[in-house]
Amino acid sequence: MSVGPYVSLVNLGSLCVAQKKYDEAEAIRREVLEGRRATKGNSDAATLAALSNLTQLQIELGKLAEAVAGLRQEYTGHIGRFGKSCANYLPQETKDNTQALFAKLMASPDQGAGIEGYAELINLMRDAVDPAARAHTGSIPGILPVG
């Protein structure tokens, strides 16, 4: 598939979300992600953007375990591209997804601890800011605010 069809699929996925056709939107966003991975690899900006779009929808739909897995892949990809301490290079969408996910998890705090990969996500987020931050608790500057 060339770049053109991916752009069309991204637009179609957004249209499905606007029309509240979430199952269709999720399937389309998965198709875009898999196509990007196959042609660009896991750490390419277009692949990470497709992953971010899918993760955003999963957060909105309350599919938090899938969203945690997606966000872990996002952070892994960005750290792979830019190295640790890459917070200044994280796209706003990744930061927005992080904040939206944690807002949902804070609404039912016990839920996060039971999600596979949750602790790994926290460590990846800390690595993105500063690998030394793993020793600290609380906010993750530039990604998760205090409060």
Side-chain angles (χ1 to χ4, degrees):
M1 221 180 228
S2 67
V3 173
Y6 285 125
V7 172
S8 297
L9 283 172
V10 169
N11 291 337
L12 181 59
S14 296
L15 180 62
C16 287
V17 169
Q19 294 176 342
K20 300 183 187 318
K21 296 178 180 178
Y22 300 118
D23 290 340
E24 290 177 53
E26 187 173 14
I28 290 167
R29 288 183 177 185
R30 283 184 193 284
E31 182 179 346
V32 170
L33 175 59
E34 293 312 313
R36 294 284 192 197
R37 280 186 172 147
T39 59
K40 301 278 190 177
N42 287 330
S43 294
D44 180 77
T47 302
L48 293 171
L51 179 58
S52 184
N53 285 337
L54 177 59
T55 301
Q56 176 198 24
L57 181 59
Q58 291 168 335
I59 293 167
E60 289 176 21
L61 297 177
K63 296 181 176 185
L64 303 184
E66 292 178 41
V68 165
L71 210 47
R72 277 184 22 236
Q73 292 172 40
E74 281 186 60
Y75 277 93
T76 299
H78 291 301
I79 290 170
R81 287 183 78 206
F82 302 112
K84 292 184 178 183
S85 302
C86 65
N88 291 336
Y89 303 106
L90 289 175
Q92 188 59 47
E93 293 82 7
T94 299
K95 294 177 184 180
D96 291 346
N97 283 347
T98 303
Q99 292 177 7
L101 176 64
F102 279 87
K104 290 243 182 182
L105 290 172
M106 295 314 292
S108 55
D110 295 337
Q111 191 172 10
I115 294 176
E116 183 178 338
Y118 178 77
E120 181 185 356
L121 172 60
I122 299 295
N123 285 330
L124 286 167
M125 290 170 26
R126 289 183 174 141
D127 281 349
V129 175
D130 178 3
R134 280 186 182 234
H136 303 288
T137 59
S139 73
I140 300 175
I143 298 174
L144 280 181
V146 175

